[in-house]
Amino acid sequence: VSNYENILTESHDKVGLITLNRPKALNALSSDLFHEVNDALKKFDDDSSIGAIVITGNERVFSAGADIKEMADKTFSKSYVTNFLGHWGEINNIKKPVIAAVNGFALGGGCELAMSCDIIYAGETAKFGQPEIKLGLIPGAGGTQRLTRVVGKSKAMEMVLSGRTFTALEAEQWGLVSKVFPVGEVLEKSIELGQELAGFSQPVIQAAKESVNAAYELSLREGCRFERRIFQALFSLNDSKEGRIAFEQKREPKWTHD
Ligand code: CO8
């Protein structure tokens, strides 16, 4: 229950669900919508009863990208002084796992939103693309950077320079999408995955996410050092003692999240 106008939020047993809900505009990412997404993400991140977050759209469209109508009167000076799109970075500060459940179009900012999540599950008919070039623009929310890191230069160039769309199966082959499901199962499978992740120790899941993300920022040597230091630090958690004791006693661990 919330006062949002462009999204819906609900929780499913430890999983916070955010549904983009501007169906008439194909879930175009207006500033209002995106501020609501950021707010909902932060609330779920701060809620200790929630262990993972799923972002989804509807079966026809995840999101058709930035709101083109809202960008109509943008100028460089206006967008520069207001740092237009600067708030996109906030999703990267979310500590809990975020899963994108994508059906239909994930275009432009919609594709970038999915790529800002930690894991993408997609429906068989999902279509990914960065069509900004057709509007005389380029991706503006990390697309040129995230895509290149995930799929490599040649495919990233093809997507960004041609503006063509690509199928869920192609995106899966490239490693952009983790798994593909029949359309009607994507959300359910994403929530199930979220519940599985939410069932582990929260500080440990967060440490695992932080370590994988460090791979995007650090050299291999620094990244391995970062990982090892976090690994060593986890021995101070009650949950890591509990994990090892439960293994020895051949029982399920009981996480206390400390
Ligand atoms: N922004 C605003 N309105 C949109 C958008 C959009 N991105 N996409 C669709 N709509 C609207 C249409 O204008 C139409 O409204 P109306 O009924 O009032 O005319 C309604 O949604 C339905 O759309 P269509 O009739 O076009 O539906 P089709 O099924 O024929 O086509 C497509 C679906 C192929 C998805 C088509 O709508 C399309 O090509 N949309 C634009 C996709 C696009 O170019 N996206 C990139 C936008 S630029 C961008 O994302 C820059 C990234 C910067 C970072 C993100 C910042 C938030």
Side-chain angles (χ1 to χ4, degrees):
V1 186
S2 66
N3 297 321
Y4 298 128
E5 287 174 11
N6 301 284
I7 62 172
L8 304 170
T9 58
E10 52 196 274
S11 50
H12 289 258
D13 185 23
K14 295 190 194 157
V15 173
L17 175 64
I18 299 174
T19 305
L20 309 179
N21 190 33
R22 285 186 78 203
K24 284 190 192 133
L26 304 188
N27 291 337
L29 303 168
S30 61
S31 296
D32 286 349
L33 180 146
F34 217 82
H35 284 301
E36 291 182 5
V37 169
N38 278 336
D39 187 71
L41 282 169
K42 179 86 175 60
K43 286 198 173 118
F44 282 138
D45 212 31
D46 290 344
D47 180 344
S48 60
S49 72
I50 295 293
I53 302 164
V54 173
I55 301 182
T56 196
N58 56 53
E59 293 198 349
R60 178 176 176 220
V61 63
F62 178 72
S63 168
D67 191 317
I68 298 171
K69 292 163 192 168
E70 189 182 279
M71 293 195 298
D73 67 343
K74 282 270 178 287
T75 60
F76 171 71
S77 57
K78 260 196 245 171
S79 58
Y80 182 60
V81 295
T82 58
N83 195 19
F84 179 57
L85 301 186
H87 60 279
W88 266 71
E90 290 177 29
I91 189 171
N92 303 316
N93 300 328
I94 300 301
K95 300 179 295 302
K96 292 171 184 170
V98 184
I99 301 160
V102 177
N103 269 316
F105 293 110
L107 300 180
C111 186
E112 291 168 303
L113 173 60
M115 287 193 287
S116 296
C117 297
D118 300 313
I119 298 168
I120 306 178
Y121 274 4
E124 281 161 348
T125 56
K127 291 231 168 1
F128 294 83
Q130 299 287 163
E132 288 90 342
I133 201 86
K134 298 180 184 171
L135 299 167
L137 288 170
I138 67 168
T144 62
Q145 304 303 299
R146 291 212 168 78
L147 206 50
T148 309
R149 281 168 167 76
V150 176
V151 307
K153 176 174 159 178
S154 181
K155 288 193 170 68
M157 285 288 192
E158 190 186 6
M159 267 180 98
V160 173
L161 303 190
S162 77
R164 287 186 195 165
T165 56
F166 295 85
T167 65
L169 282 176
E170 286 172 302
E172 186 193 26
Q173 280 163 10
W174 305 342
L176 182 67
V177 159
S178 163
K179 284 197 174 70
V180 177
F181 298 99
V183 171
E185 289 180 22
V186 183
L187 182 57
E188 184 191 326
K189 296 287 184 191
S190 301
I191 291 172
E192 275 172 25
L193 175 66
Q195 285 165 341
E196 192 179 327
L197 308 188
F200 292 111
S201 165
Q202 286 198 17
V204 181
I205 278 279
Q206 288 182 18
K209 169 169 168 167
E210 193 182 354
S211 296
V212 173
N213 276 333
Y216 285 102
E217 311 284 345
L218 302 176
S219 68
L220 182 61
R221 189 189 175 94
E222 284 303 311
C224 288
R225 188 154 64 146
F226 179 87
E227 178 199 78
R228 192 166 59 246
R229 200 66 74 235
I230 300 262
F231 177 85
Q232 291 160 347
L234 293 181
F235 286 120
S236 66
L237 292 184
N238 288 328
D239 277 348
S240 80
K241 290 190 191 79
E242 165 65 6
R244 281 169 286 132
I245 292 167
F247 178 80
E248 273 171 29
Q249 296 179 347
K250 300 188 191 298
R251 62 169 173 81
E252 286 298 313
K254 290 191 190 66
W255 309 121
T256 52
H257 309 290
D258 63 355

